């Protein structure tokens, strides 16, 4: 991480931050040592679903549903998970729906890749 990004952000500044498996834009509300209290303003990447310790495994005992952080929800974030936000902060609801659609499209692409791979492997199985 660049030296400038490691510095403690100023209260009121807009930052990008990671929380669990999602990414957000938010406003710095408070600094506390190596943690920063951030208020969520937009969703940049929707959190991933399922068991993080067993990614892409649908047969786990508990398949977690992860919701995006709510508009103005506050959370403490380690300084290392915060970076500068460039540009205009998008509308929360629009950003949430864009991030959700992107996550759905990514999973659909993975599903289609899996189906094509399975088709190839089944053909190879016949030939072997």
């Amino acid at each position: 991480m660049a030296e400038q990004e490691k510095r403690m952000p100023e209260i009121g500044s807009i930052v990008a931050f990671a929380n669990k498996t999602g990414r957000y834009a938010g406003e710095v509300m408070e600094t506390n040592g190596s943690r920063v209290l951030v208020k969520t303003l937009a969703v940049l990447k929707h959190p991933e679903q399922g068991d993080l310790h067993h990614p892409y495994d649908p047969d786990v005992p508990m398949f977690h549903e992860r919701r995006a952080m709510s508009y103005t929800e506050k959370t403490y974030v380690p300084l290392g998970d915060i970076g500068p936000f460039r540009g205009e902060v998008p509308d929360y609801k629009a950003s949430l729906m864009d991030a959700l659609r992107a996550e759905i499209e990514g999973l659909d692409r993975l599903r289609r890749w899996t189906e094509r791979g399975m088709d190839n492997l089944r053909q190879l199985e016949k030939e072997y």
Side-chain angles (χ1 to χ4, degrees):
M1 192 180 285
E3 183 62 34
Q4 180 182 9
E5 293 177 354
K6 289 182 186 177
R7 292 190 189 128
M8 188 65 69
E10 293 182 23
I11 293 174
S13 64
I14 304 300
V15 296
F17 67 96
N19 183 271
K20 300 186 179 168
T21 61
R23 286 215 37 88
Y24 304 89
E27 180 182 353
V28 174
M29 304 302 292
E30 173 183 306
T31 58
N32 184 358
S34 62
R35 299 181 319 158
V36 177
L37 182 65
V38 182
K39 177 173 68 173
T40 305
L41 300 176
V43 181
L44 305 177
K45 181 194 175 297
H46 196 278
E48 296 175 11
Q49 306 303 298
D51 186 338
L52 298 180
H53 301 290
H54 301 93
Y56 306 114
D57 184 353
D59 302 320
V60 293
M62 187 171 189
F63 195 90
H64 298 273
E65 174 189 87
R66 289 191 183 73
R67 293 178 167 268
M69 293 181 67
S70 301
Y71 181 62
T72 69
E73 181 177 348
K74 296 173 187 77
T75 188
Y76 278 102
V77 180
L79 186 56
D81 291 343
I82 293 177
F85 181 82
R86 293 177 179 85
E88 193 170 316
V89 176
D91 172 74
Y92 175 82
K93 184 69 171 175
S95 71
L96 173 63
M97 296 312 295
D98 288 346
L100 179 64
R101 284 188 207 102
E103 193 69 16
I104 289 170
E105 288 171 12
L107 288 176
D108 182 59
R109 185 175 175 88
L110 180 61
R111 179 191 55 80
R112 291 183 290 118
W113 176 85
T114 301
E115 289 170 356
R116 289 193 65 184
M118 289 297 291
D119 290 345
N120 286 356
L121 291 172
R122 286 193 176 107
Q123 184 60 41
L124 287 172
E125 184 177 42
K126 291 175 187 174
E127 294 174 16
Y128 290 165

